[in-house]
Amino acid sequence: MQPQIVLLKEGTDTSQGKPQLISNINACQAVVDAVRTTLGPRGMDKLIVNGGKATISNDGATIMKLLDIVHPAARTLVDIAKSQDAEVGDGTTSVVLLAGEFLKQVKPFVEEGVHPRIIIKAVRKALQLCVDKISELAVKIEKSNEAEHRALLTKCAATAMSSKLIHQQKDFFSNMVVDAVLQLDDLLPLDMIGIKKVSGGALEDSLLVSGVAFKKTFSYAGFEMQPKSYKNCKIALLNIELELKAERSNAEIRVDNVQEYQKIVDAEWQILYDKLAKIHASGANVVLSKLPIGDVATQYFADRDMFCAGRVPEEDLRRTLKACGGAVLTTVHDLVESNLGTCEYFEERQIGGERFNIFQGCPNAKTCTLILRGGAEQFLEETERSLHDAIMIVRRTIKNDAVVAGGGAIEMELSKMLRDYSRTIAGKEQLLIGAIAKALEVIPRQLCDNAGFDATNILNKLRQKHAQGHCWYGVDIQKEHISDNFEACVWEPSIVKVNALTAACEAATMILSVDETIKSPKSQGEAPQAGGMPMGRGMGRPMM
């Protein structure tokens, strides 16, 4: 009898070989089914309740983040959705669908015993062909003509929004998004576009402020007497507390008569008044501070026709600094004109139930704020997510100025190209590349399914058109037919497609290359106790 060799901790679960690979593929199919129906203009939304908070969304990445997926192989799909969201912003549902479909189409080959490495090689080859084809087909945009360039950006933004909750207002919002992105500097930093949500009102009441806007901060008595608008105002940005400090609980001052105490109190007031006088002397009309501004200071400023706001959130203060210039000071001794920000027009305006402080006509206006209106809170949050996708798409289009037709057109063309290529090669690769060509058809098919069309019928028409050389034909959601989506202005930046295909292929090859999963019992709660001893007693202690 050979002694048994124990290699892994007791209770470790290992599963390997072909069944393991098949079960991983099935797990990925289940994830894909969760987001499958959200694709496209007729996609459905998901209501995800997470610890009492309800989220309504049809953004692939948002849904994947909120689904708490524990299967290790299926987690890769969550990661590619996140990476697509971070890199490009849109196409998060497509990337998950494509990865799932690649796996589904090669599953029969795995079952028949084709080695995963051969499949991976074919997937990589197909990806290379697709990327080359996209760069060959993509239409470059002329940036010289401003009006045309702007129209193109608007179309890309509208395409990104057509599948969202706000698709009814996409013309209104796509112009707003393009305006917002064009106001930024060349690096297009995302954090310089502020999005503020105010419930109530209609979506069309949303507005774009070319400058900074933030909610009125906590205010003390006396603020009603302050002016609510200024032209050509000067702004002091501070990080100073302008109120009487409460005595520290462990401070101790010993005084033996009332006069001494009075001096201490006077000194404290004097310090505060000195600070206020310096701020007034600097010529600032608007004082913003990250720390609280008390009621004495508020009243002091009101008497001198100055406006103040304390407890301004840090990101708003930073954006004001970028837009209006100046510097955030931690002492009032350096308050000179060069350290003050300026803007042409400041006002406090009522928007819905909130008061907003709005700075417009900023000299360095490389920032802007979208103020969104609308009904329920979930609806506003989904609008914000939709606008985020559109903003990312416009940024991408400015940086990579090549576009392709959306609506399943580019996928059908790639599918045709791969099918034609597979017939020119011999061996197993022929079948595998044919399978991947079939997998690419999932996007137009799902667009049809989600809209309730007959997918088989429409795909047959598309295959015929693409075989005749019409490379931009895709699904037309409006007419339940096919149309030239390039002329119909359903445009997407080609980088979205390249990124989606690359990420989907990476995920598929990664899942295919796993042939064994080893789960250590530690991750499933505590390891079983050695020797079956009851918990809580050391080894070898005698039983009481």
Side-chain angles (χ1 to χ4, degrees):
M1 285 281 288
Q2 282 286 322
Q4 189 183 3
I5 297 173
V6 180
L7 183 64
L8 298 170
K9 205 189 297 181
E10 176 185 0
T12 303
D13 168 32
T14 66
S15 38
Q16 64 191 88
K18 206 191 319 178
Q20 169 62 28
L21 188 48
I22 300 291
S23 96
N24 282 350
I25 293 178
N26 291 342
C28 292
Q29 291 311 122
V31 175
V32 173
D33 288 340
V35 292
R36 185 182 288 281
T37 52
T38 65
L39 183 75
R42 295 278 188 276
M44 309 301 268
D45 294 351
K46 304 284 181 208
L47 171 59
I48 300 165
V49 183
N50 194 354
K53 185 180 186 301
T55 310
I56 298 175
S57 177
N58 75 353
D59 176 44
T62 307
I63 296 167
M64 299 291 267
K65 274 180 209 156
L66 291 172
L67 291 177
D68 203 0
I69 294 173
V70 289
H71 192 287
R75 287 287 287 279
T76 52
L77 294 186
V78 182
D79 294 340
I80 56 168
K82 283 184 185 169
S83 81
Q84 177 82 1
D85 194 39
E87 182 59 32
V88 194
D90 198 24
T92 45
T93 311
S94 316
V95 73
V96 177
L97 267 180
L98 281 168
E101 193 67 18
F102 287 152
L103 291 170
K104 182 177 166 188
Q105 293 296 343
V106 298
K107 185 173 149 191
F109 296 100
V110 176
E111 285 168 341
E112 284 165 19
V114 179
H115 195 282
R117 278 286 150 207
I118 297 174
I119 302 177
I120 289 173
K121 188 177 162 204
V123 172
R124 294 244 162 92
K125 177 76 182 153
L127 169 66
Q128 191 53 52
L129 289 165
C130 288
V131 173
D132 294 345
K133 183 73 174 170
I134 291 179
S135 53
E136 175 195 324
L137 282 174
V139 179
K140 275 271 188 264
I141 307 308
E142 279 301 313
K143 282 193 178 176
S144 49
N145 185 337
E146 285 230 339
E148 271 181 29
H149 187 224
R150 194 195 152 81
L152 155 91
L153 294 177
T154 315
K155 283 166 192 158
C156 286
T159 306
M161 277 188 232
S162 63
S163 63
K164 307 289 184 202
L165 260 177
I166 50 173
H167 61 90
Q168 303 292 331
Q169 286 85 7
K170 67 179 181 192
D171 298 340
F172 171 74
F173 278 117
S174 51
N175 279 318
M176 192 188 266
V177 164
V178 173
D179 285 342
V181 178
L182 289 178
Q183 282 177 16
L184 301 181
D185 57 17
D186 296 340
L187 288 172
L188 305 177
L190 251 190
D191 56 351
M192 296 318 284
I193 299 182
I195 299 184
K196 304 285 175 195
K197 305 185 282 279
V198 185
S199 359
L203 273 174
E204 278 83 8
D205 298 342
S206 304
L207 61 141
L208 172 69
V209 177
S210 54
V212 185
F214 50 83
K215 276 184 192 158
K216 168 140 193 64
T217 52
F218 182 82
S219 42
Y220 285 93
F223 86 97
E224 276 307 340
M225 296 153 66
Q226 297 176 346
K228 297 292 180 265
S229 65
Y230 292 103
K231 286 201 167 53
N232 295 330
C233 73
K234 294 189 176 137
I235 306 160
L237 304 167
L238 307 174
N239 190 359
I240 306 176
E241 204 167 2
L242 294 176
E243 59 182 347
L244 293 174
K245 291 272 197 300
E247 277 78 20
R248 292 283 160 82
S249 49
N250 59 356
E252 190 174 308
I253 305 174
R254 299 198 173 181
V255 288
D256 49 15
N257 58 22
V258 179
Q259 284 80 15
E260 292 288 315
Y261 179 69
Q262 189 59 46
K263 277 184 193 164
I264 294 168
V265 175
D266 289 348
E268 199 172 20
W269 280 86
Q270 197 53 49
I271 291 169
L272 179 63
Y273 276 126
D274 285 349
K275 283 183 186 173
L276 298 178
K278 282 207 170 78
I279 294 171
H280 178 231
S282 71
N285 317 95
V286 176
V287 182
L288 300 179
S289 177
K290 200 168 111 180
L291 297 173
I293 294 182
D295 37 10
V296 177
T298 310
Q299 190 65 55
Y300 181 96
F301 289 139
D303 294 344
R304 288 159 183 73
D305 281 350
M306 291 160 69
F307 177 89
C308 69
R311 300 188 189 167
V312 179
E314 185 167 1
E315 69 163 318
D316 291 327
L317 200 66
R318 209 178 70 241
R319 287 189 23 246
T320 313
L321 171 72
K322 285 259 177 82
C324 305
V328 175
L329 301 175
T330 47
T331 161
V332 288
H333 295 293
D334 304 336
L335 258 184
V336 288
E337 186 124 343
S338 58
N339 287 338
L340 297 180
T342 53
C343 77
E344 278 172 30
Y345 187 61
F346 163 81
E347 68 168 333
E348 182 173 302
R349 194 191 308 174
Q350 185 85 13
I351 300 180
E354 303 278 357
R355 305 275 288 269
F356 267 81
N357 299 336
I358 297 177
F359 299 85
Q360 283 172 312
C362 309
N364 320 4
K366 297 281 191 254
T367 174
C368 54
T369 311
L370 294 163
I371 298 179
L372 302 181
R373 306 298 311 277
E377 189 146 321
Q378 282 101 337
F379 188 79
L380 273 175
E381 283 177 9
E382 177 61 6
T383 308
E384 182 182 2
R385 282 191 287 270
S386 311
L387 287 181
H388 170 262
D389 283 11
I391 288 169
M392 291 290 279
I393 283 296
V394 174
R395 286 176 66 213
R396 283 281 155 234
T397 317
I398 291 176
K399 286 184 180 173
N400 308 70
D401 50 349
V403 294
V404 293
I410 185 79
E411 283 84 4
M412 284 307 287
E413 184 59 28
L414 294 174
S415 174
K416 165 189 165 281
M417 181 267 302
L418 285 180
R419 206 177 281 111
D420 293 350
Y421 171 78
S422 72
R423 297 195 182 112
T424 63
I425 54 174
K428 294 174 190 163
E429 273 202 342
Q430 178 182 16
L431 297 168
L432 291 166
I433 287 185
I436 292 162
K438 188 164 182 232
L440 283 166
E441 291 181 353
V442 67
I443 301 283
R445 170 172 283 123
Q446 198 61 47
L447 285 173
C448 296
D449 286 347
N450 289 354
F453 303 161
D454 179 353
T456 316
N457 186 11
I458 286 184
L459 279 177
N460 282 337
K461 289 179 186 166
L462 279 176
R463 285 192 199 106
Q464 178 210 4
K465 279 287 185 199
H466 283 266
Q468 291 167 356
H470 301 287
C471 69
W472 293 132
Y473 264 77
V475 184
D476 186 339
I477 297 285
Q478 312 303 336
K479 301 187 185 133
E480 193 172 336
H481 197 60
I482 60 173
S483 67
D484 186 329
N485 277 352
F486 205 82
E487 283 183 12
C489 295
V490 181
W491 293 354
E492 301 196 52
S494 59
I495 181 114
V496 176
K497 293 297 173 201
V498 172
N499 216 56
L501 281 166
T502 313
C505 285
E506 289 296 329
T509 53
M510 194 156 102
I511 289 164
L512 285 169
S513 61
V514 172
D515 75 333
E516 182 168 7
T517 305
I518 303 170
K519 279 188 191 157
S520 164
K522 187 79 177 156
S523 57
Q524 311 281 310
E526 218 26 66
Q529 286 288 307
M533 298 289 272
M535 293 288 280
R537 282 188 35 240
M539 298 283 286
R541 286 230 342 251
M543 295 289 279
M544 290 300 175

